[in-house]
Amino acid sequence: AQSVTQLGSHVSVSEGALVLLRCNYSSSVPPYLFWYVQYPNQGLQLLLKYTSAATLVKGINGFEAEFKKSETSFHLTKPSAHMSDAAEYFCAVSDRGYNKLIFGAGTRLAVHP
Amino acid sequence: EPEVTQTPSHQVTQMGQEVILRCVPISNHLYFYWYRQILGQKVEFLVSFYNNEISEKSEIFDDQFSVERPDGSNFTLKIRSTKLEDSAMYFCASNGQHNEQFFGPGTRLTVL
């Protein structure tokens, strides 16, 4: 069975600081991995995806994530946080591109001046 | 840019009543999903739908739930007899040819 663990339910950074949101997955088959962002009272927006091509994936809004098979990780980073990045971030895994997504519990990112 | 839409944005109902949540997926997408998010909890898969039939469902998706694609554009989730624990945000999603699920803004269901 697949699962996702997001370390840290809350992360707080200063504006301009590095953002690092951690995601570890469990999958018996090569996974498809995704990061979604949810702003207050809105739906889920896809930030980026890994589908067995390049291990370093670039997404929208300056975010990127690196797939590390040996560590079963897919951590999300952004070099310089902006106030508008404050939101909840969800890591998700699927065993195929069109199958269900299994989500992590989410990490709420706060950005302070 | 195409997007998934959902109506209503908020539904309040009495326990035991039937509700229908509506979704319009992106027009050329073939795979459709419902997820729910109970307040403060993670997003959970309910059901996936392809080629006019359910392709997978979770243990949450019991006999009280059903899905339908009544025409070429709508995708609905029906809960026959709502319970208090059905209160949640329900998200519809659709998937095209690029292994990406696009989510709608959600319907907040409140069961009293």
Side-chain angles (χ1 to χ4, degrees):
Chain A
Q2 296 178 304
S3 65
V4 175
T5 302
Q6 291 184 242
L7 293 175
S9 59
H10 290 82
V11 170
S12 182
V13 301
S14 299
E15 192 173 20
L18 172 71
V19 175
L20 170 61
L21 304 182
R22 298 178 187 275
C23 172
N24 288 88
Y25 69 91
S26 171
S27 180
S28 57
V29 298
Y32 290 73
L33 293 159
F34 305 84
W35 276 99
Y36 283 85
V37 60
Q38 185 180 34
Y39 298 101
N41 300 313
Q42 294 188 26
L44 298 163
Q45 181 183 9
L46 181 67
L47 275 178
L48 49 79
K49 64 179 182 183
Y50 166 78
T51 57
S52 76
T55 56
L56 182 62
V57 181
K58 294 187 185 299
I60 62 172
N61 302 339
F63 284 93
E64 62 182 37
E66 186 172 8
F67 172 69
K68 291 187 176 181
K69 184 178 178 181
S70 61
E71 298 178 8
T72 60
S73 68
F74 190 57
H75 302 330
L76 181 71
T77 60
K78 182 174 180 178
S80 176
H82 192 271
M83 298 294 288
S84 61
D85 294 327
E88 185 138 26
Y89 292 79
F90 294 92
C91 182
V93 66
S94 176
D95 58 359
R96 292 189 195 282
Y98 47 83
N99 279 2
K100 67 185 178 193
L101 293 173
I102 304 298
F103 284 88
T107 297
R108 186 168 298 278
L109 176 67
V111 182
H112 51 87
Chain B
E1 185 174 328
E3 59 182 18
V4 177
T5 59
Q6 291 185 243
T7 54
S9 57
H10 193 185
Q11 173 91 47
V12 181
T13 189
Q14 295 291 325
M15 190 169 55
Q17 295 297 304
E18 174 183 288
V19 294
I20 297 176
L21 309 183
R22 291 183 167 79
C23 168
V24 179
I26 294 172
S27 62
N28 60 348
H29 284 186
L30 300 177
Y31 299 90
F32 314 111
Y33 315 82
W34 284 100
Y35 295 83
R36 78 173 185 189
Q37 186 181 30
I38 295 172
L39 189 63
Q41 298 185 23
K42 65 171 67 175
V43 178
E44 302 173 290
F45 167 76
L46 291 177
V47 66
S48 57
F49 193 86
Y50 171 72
N51 200 25
N52 282 319
E53 61 182 25
I54 291 174
S55 48
E56 187 176 1
K57 60 183 180 180
S58 73
E59 61 274 11
I60 302 168
F61 194 88
D62 61 22
D63 292 344
Q64 293 299 313
F65 291 87
S66 62
V67 289
E68 195 177 33
R69 188 155 162 83
D71 52 42
S73 60
N74 290 284
F75 181 50
T76 62
L77 174 69
K78 182 193 292 186
I79 309 175
R80 288 190 184 80
S81 178
T82 50
K83 307 183 188 72
L84 294 176
E85 55 265 36
D86 294 328
S87 294
M89 182 74 90
Y90 288 80
F91 293 106
C92 173
S94 68
N95 191 344
Q97 297 178 338
H98 301 289
N99 301 323
E100 299 175 358
Q101 290 189 27
F102 291 88
F103 283 75
T107 293
R108 181 168 298 283
L109 176 65
T110 302
V111 182
L112 303 176

